Amino acid sequence: MQTTNLGFIGCGGNARGHMQRAGAVEGVNIAGVCDVVEDIAKERAGEFGAEAYTDHRALLERRDLDAVVISIPVHAHGAPEMDTIERGLPFLVEKPVARDMDTASQIQAAVEEAGILTAVGYQLRYSGAAAQAREFLADKTLGLVVGQYWCGTGIGSAKGWLRQFDKSGGQVLEQATHTIDMMRFLAGEIEEVSAFAASRFLHEIDCPDVNVLALRFANGALGALTTMWAFDPKDWSNANLLSITYDGGWMRWSAAKAIIKPAGEEQEQELGGEGPNIDEVFVRAVRAKNQSLILSPYSDAVKSMAVSIAALESAAENVAKRVGA
């Protein structure tokens, strides 16, 4: 099998997970890794037998790269993607794709002009529960689509970028984007958002720690999303949960499984099973030069981001917002 050489921009914990999964795919070589913190870059390079860089442009000068994985903080998006596109390389980028819509739109336009293969790290789409639930709901009339993402911030210091609103956009943009994306994936496009945000517990940071979103879907269904950033961080079972009503029945969805109870039936049914990991799919798509293998291309991920941005604007202005307007 021909070797597929990957470069990594960003070497944090999330990037390390991508390195482990991609590196486990037969024929994949992690050729170079880059991080602005030299010690982290060198640590990852030693772990995966790669060359270390502190400037992503130097990494992209390598002529042996077949694709790039970009896993960086929200506020750092922009130049790494544009330079990767200029180099003509396919890339997988972590969500959300930017902190503001202008940056995301510029990258999307460049992707389309260059015809670059892209993937975004919405890995929940690749679960067996997601594929089966989407197929099951495809011909149903949906009523309510309710999501939940309750967790801790994951960073102990108030100085961490995740806790700085101007850098992360807070929980609705940085973390609960996974829930929003799954709401779109299973129930269709979201047209309008009305949101409320408050700081009830984490007063040392400038990000809201509780959020409520009311959503209007293009197909007429209504939705709601609650997020909480001061929940016990050891209890992750309360993140990325969906409840959906349809044709008199209901579905409870998580990445592990979906439980459905059709109208008039006494027994619940279970959907689920293992799906491929996103890194494996990305490598396969790069090798086949086949964008259709990707469930989360850049252009689609921008739509999930637009819902979060509309929610932030709605909460700040105290008015309902059309998504993408």
Side-chain angles (χ1 to χ4, degrees):
M1 177 180 292
Q2 184 175 355
T3 299
T4 301
N5 290 313
L6 299 183
F8 281 78
I9 300 175
C11 292
N14 189 282
R16 184 172 182 266
H18 284 292
M19 292 175 193
Q20 290 174 324
R21 292 187 296 271
V25 178
E26 183 180 1
V28 167
N29 174 52
I30 299 175
V33 298
C34 174
D35 199 281
V36 293
V37 180
E38 185 175 10
D39 287 346
I40 295 178
K42 288 182 176 179
E43 181 179 347
R44 296 290 178 263
E47 185 175 358
F48 293 96
E51 188 170 350
Y53 299 84
T54 56
D55 186 333
H56 72 268
R57 292 165 296 187
L59 168 65
L60 292 173
E61 287 177 0
R62 296 181 64 117
R63 309 316 296 178
D64 61 345
L65 295 181
D66 297 299
V68 174
V69 178
I70 304 171
S71 183
I72 55 180
V74 185
H75 58 89
H77 288 294
E81 289 91 337
M82 295 300 285
D83 291 338
T84 301
I85 294 166
E86 184 176 352
R87 175 72 171 73
L89 291 170
F91 65 88
L92 186 162
V93 61
E94 263 304 335
K95 42 45 63 185
V97 293
R99 177 61 183 85
D100 61 87
M101 290 304 299
D102 284 346
T103 299
S105 297
Q106 291 171 11
I107 295 170
Q108 181 178 348
V111 165
E112 292 174 354
E113 182 177 355
I116 296 290
L117 185 149
T118 61
V120 177
Y122 287 114
Q123 68 269 14
L124 297 179
R125 290 188 174 207
Y126 296 86
S127 71
Q132 293 178 40
R134 191 182 199 211
E135 182 179 2
F136 178 84
L137 293 171
D139 61 350
K140 307 295 191 296
T141 298
L142 306 186
L144 289 175
V145 183
V146 179
Q148 180 177 318
Y149 200 120
W150 299 359
C151 69
T153 59
I155 292 181
S157 170
K159 296 180 180 179
W161 66 264
L162 185 61
R163 290 180 172 223
Q164 298 176 42
F165 189 77
D166 63 330
K167 292 184 177 181
S168 73
Q171 188 181 24
V172 169
L173 178 63
E174 213 290 326
Q175 288 179 316
T177 182
H178 278 298
T179 318
I180 290 170
D181 185 71
M182 286 310 305
M183 295 172 94
R184 289 186 52 245
F185 188 67
L186 296 181
E189 295 304 331
I190 297 168
E191 290 187 334
E192 188 174 13
V193 183
S194 184
F196 297 90
S199 294
R200 304 295 296 164
F201 307 105
L202 303 179
H203 302 299
E204 73 277 15
I205 66 174
D206 67 350
C207 295
D209 54 42
V210 289
N211 297 271
V212 176
L213 282 60
L215 310 167
R216 187 185 301 276
F217 287 78
N219 59 20
L222 299 180
L225 171 64
T226 63
T227 83
M228 184 174 183
W229 222 358
F231 199 67
D232 185 347
K234 293 179 290 185
D235 190 349
W236 287 94
S237 63
N238 288 282
N240 292 318
L241 302 180
L242 297 181
S243 296
I244 301 171
T245 64
Y246 67 91
D247 298 339
W250 53 260
M251 171 186 290
R252 292 197 182 102
W253 185 91
S254 70
K257 62 183 178 181
I259 304 297
I260 59 174
K261 190 173 185 300
E265 296 188 15
E266 294 185 5
Q267 295 297 317
E268 297 176 358
Q269 303 173 25
E270 184 174 313
L271 306 176
E274 261 189 68
N277 71 64
I278 192 172
D279 300 279
E280 175 189 349
V281 174
F282 177 62
V283 169
R284 192 166 4 116
V286 168
R287 287 171 172 170
K289 298 181 180 179
N290 187 351
Q291 180 70 67
S292 69
L293 297 177
I294 302 296
L295 300 177
S296 52
Y298 195 92
S299 59
D300 192 83
V302 172
K303 296 178 182 178
S304 291
M305 176 189 166
V307 177
S308 293
I309 294 297
L312 299 185
E313 294 175 349
S314 173
E317 300 172 23
N318 198 29
V319 294
K321 284 287 184 176
R322 298 282 295 181
V323 175

